[in-house]
């Protein structure tokens, strides 16, 4: 199945918005330095930085400006001041990270690739990527600081994108500020290829795309949902195998919103098997007992492709299905065959 996907590499031309950040970056001890591009002229500083540094929320950037960690043309900055293009912005990255009290922890990592610029991680289920929301220790960030202490000098320890706690698979981490800026630009331009394997409930008959905005659920604020005023989001899916009451999909992302695949597939009536948040639906006893074997959402980031930020080489990594998803698929295949071929 996965071999077939490798041979049929996705030739779809993804539409890409113009790059928001044409800023140059350099590592100068513990600082981030950039130049405001002309296409952001007229914005407030906090708005411009939110576009240039999308790895941080606007509210967090506002806090750092107010704490005087940001200067413009050598002068202490304010959130409301406007930029007109060409200004030199300097942010004290070490102060930013030290405020978060991140600690190195000896947590084992499965590393598929590492050089002076990148680390490719194969993340297991149960590992939170970044501290927060009650998970202040035992995260991927803590593990990275132990594995490569120099990452304490890179914002967010080089993390540029995330996987949910119980989603398995591939993540890229930048080892330098320059590499981080380059990877953020690639994510903005939608040239980073992220491919997933997903087992959903119900029988899907054909390939498709979900193009629907995602934002906070209007009632349950810890969840995401398709909402009219949400951020644009697009997920492509391809049917790989059909089973009794479930379907195995290959999903690819054009955008990277929180819980995107989980929310989009729920929106078309096919939530992920095992999803504790988005798939609380009634199931036939046979499929319910089978899905219960997997106490997490059946989602695996199996392939990651990008341009190396230093060499410019196109690179591709793959991760086999973890044992829990592989075992669940084997059980479902056997169950489907027994239903299709009764004694």
């Amino acid at each position: 199945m996965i071999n077939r996907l490798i041979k049929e590499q996705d030739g779809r031309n993804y539409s890409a918005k113009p790059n928001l950040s044409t800023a140059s970056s350099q590592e100068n001890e513990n600082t981030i330095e950039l130049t405001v591009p002309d296409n952001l002229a007229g914005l407030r500083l906090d708005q411009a930085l939110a576009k240039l540094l999308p790895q941080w929320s606007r509210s967090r950037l506002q806090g750092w400006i107010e704490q005087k960690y940001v200067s413009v043309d050598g002068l202490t900055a304010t959130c409301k001041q406007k930029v007109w293009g060409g200004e030199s912005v300097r942010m004290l990255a070490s102060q930013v990270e030290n405020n978060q009290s991140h600690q190195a922890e000896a947590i084992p990592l499965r590393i598929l690739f590492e050089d002076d610029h990148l680390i490719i991680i194969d993340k297991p289920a149960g590992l939170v990527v970044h501290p927060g929301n009650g998970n202040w220790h035992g995260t991927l960030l803590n593990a990275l600081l132990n594995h490569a202490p120099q990452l304490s000098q890179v914002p967010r320890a080089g993390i540029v994108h995330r996987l949910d706690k119980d989603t398995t698979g591939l993540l890229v981490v930048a080892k330098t500020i320059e590499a981080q800026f380059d990877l953020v630009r690639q994510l903005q331009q939608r040239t980073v290829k992220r491919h997933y394997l997903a087992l959903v409930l119900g029988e899907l008959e054909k390939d498709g795309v979900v193009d629907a905005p995602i934002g906070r659920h209007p009632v349950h604020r810890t969840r995401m949902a398709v909402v009219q005023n949400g951020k644009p989001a697009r997920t492509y899916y391809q049917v790989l195998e059909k089973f009794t009451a479930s379907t195995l999909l290959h999903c690819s992302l054009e955008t990277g919103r929180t819980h995107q695949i989980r929310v989009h597939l729920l929106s078309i009536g096919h939530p992920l098997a095992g999803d504790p948040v988005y798939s609380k639906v009634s199931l036939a006893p046979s499929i319910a007992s089978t899905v219960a074997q997997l106490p997490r959402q059946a989602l695996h980031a199996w392939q990651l492709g990008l341009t190396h930020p230093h060499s410019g080489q196109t690179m591709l990594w793959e991760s086999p299905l973890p044992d829990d998803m592989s075992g669940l698929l084997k059980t479902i295949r056997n169950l489907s065959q027994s239903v299709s071929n009764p004694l």
Side-chain angles (χ1 to χ4, degrees):
M1 171 197 58
I2 294 180
N3 288 336
R4 175 165 69 86
L5 279 175
I6 295 172
K7 293 178 181 178
E8 298 175 359
Q9 282 304 307
D10 192 356
R12 185 184 295 115
N13 291 320
Y14 293 89
S15 61
K17 292 182 179 179
N19 188 9
L20 292 174
S21 172
T22 57
S24 61
S25 68
Q26 66 184 57
E27 184 174 358
N28 180 14
E29 294 183 349
N30 301 330
T31 67
I32 294 174
E33 296 183 1
L34 53 87
T35 300
V36 178
D38 292 340
N39 64 334
L40 299 185
L43 293 182
R44 289 171 32 142
L45 176 63
D46 58 343
Q47 295 172 326
L49 288 183
K51 293 182 178 296
L52 293 170
L53 302 169
Q55 62 267 47
W56 289 304
S57 68
R58 182 177 166 191
S59 61
R60 182 165 291 181
L61 289 165
Q62 288 173 337
W64 293 334
I65 294 170
E66 291 170 357
Q67 293 174 65
K68 305 187 186 306
Y69 295 154
V70 180
S71 63
V72 176
D73 291 335
L75 301 176
T76 301
T78 64
C79 293
K80 294 182 179 181
Q81 73 181 83
K82 290 192 175 183
V83 293
W84 303 102
E87 293 93 341
S88 295
V89 178
R90 188 171 185 266
M91 184 163 72
L92 301 177
S94 61
Q95 294 297 323
V96 164
E97 288 304 301
N98 288 341
N99 259 4
Q100 306 308 306
S101 301
H102 296 150
Q103 301 294 322
E105 296 179 31
I107 301 168
L109 293 172
R110 186 183 179 200
I111 296 175
L112 301 191
F113 173 86
E114 182 174 8
D115 62 11
D116 292 338
H117 310 277
L118 299 178
I119 307 175
I120 303 299
I121 304 290
D122 194 352
K123 189 186 87 65
L127 181 63
V128 174
V129 171
H130 196 276
N133 297 324
N135 296 291
W136 299 107
H137 301 284
T139 70
L140 175 63
L141 183 144
N142 300 119
L144 287 168
L145 291 176
N146 179 75
H147 171 76
Q150 69 271 28
L151 287 174
S152 64
Q153 306 304 320
V154 181
R156 301 177 74 86
I159 294 170
V160 295
H161 67 119
R162 301 187 187 190
L163 293 176
D164 296 336
K165 175 182 177 181
D166 287 323
T167 297
T168 54
L170 300 176
L171 277 166
V172 60
V173 175
K175 293 182 73 174
T176 68
I177 292 178
E178 286 185 341
Q180 189 178 52
F181 265 74
D182 187 86
L183 290 171
V184 168
R185 280 196 291 263
Q186 290 187 51
L187 287 165
Q188 287 177 330
Q189 293 175 324
R190 302 174 183 175
T191 57
V192 175
K193 304 304 181 186
R194 291 168 288 172
H195 299 273
Y196 297 75
L197 296 175
L199 181 69
V200 300
L201 301 178
E203 299 180 31
L204 271 165
E205 295 299 325
K206 60 182 180 179
D207 304 345
V209 58
V210 183
D211 190 349
I214 291 177
R216 289 287 171 190
H217 193 287
V219 177
H220 305 288
R221 302 302 293 173
T222 60
R223 303 182 191 177
M224 309 301 288
V226 170
V227 292
Q228 187 174 3
N229 61 345
K231 294 181 179 180
R234 184 175 295 167
T235 303
Y236 296 92
Y237 60 87
Q238 175 186 357
V239 175
L240 297 180
E241 289 187 71
K242 299 177 185 178
F243 309 111
T244 301
S246 60
T247 307
L248 180 65
L249 301 179
H250 164 223
C251 298
S252 56
L253 300 182
E254 184 171 319
T255 53
R257 308 305 178 198
T258 300
H259 298 177
Q260 179 172 322
I261 291 176
R262 299 164 69 184
V263 170
H264 269 173
L265 294 178
L266 172 66
S267 74
I268 61 171
H270 295 280
L272 289 173
D275 193 321
V277 176
Y278 297 106
S279 64
K280 294 179 180 179
V281 296
S282 299
L283 300 172
S286 59
I287 189 67
S289 61
T290 302
V291 169
Q293 296 178 24
L294 187 72
R296 66 176 183 92
Q297 63 267 14
L299 184 62
H300 177 64
W302 81 277
Q303 190 179 80
L304 176 67
L306 53 82
T307 300
H308 192 283
H310 182 72
S311 69
Q313 179 183 358
T314 299
M315 306 189 77
L316 183 72
W317 296 271
E318 292 149 13
S319 167
L321 274 175
D323 291 342
D324 57 357
M325 269 190 73
S326 180
L328 176 61
L329 283 173
K330 182 178 180 180
T331 301
I332 288 177
R333 287 190 185 104
N334 291 337
L335 178 64
S336 296
Q337 288 175 359
S338 66
V339 172
S340 301
N341 303 292
L343 295 177

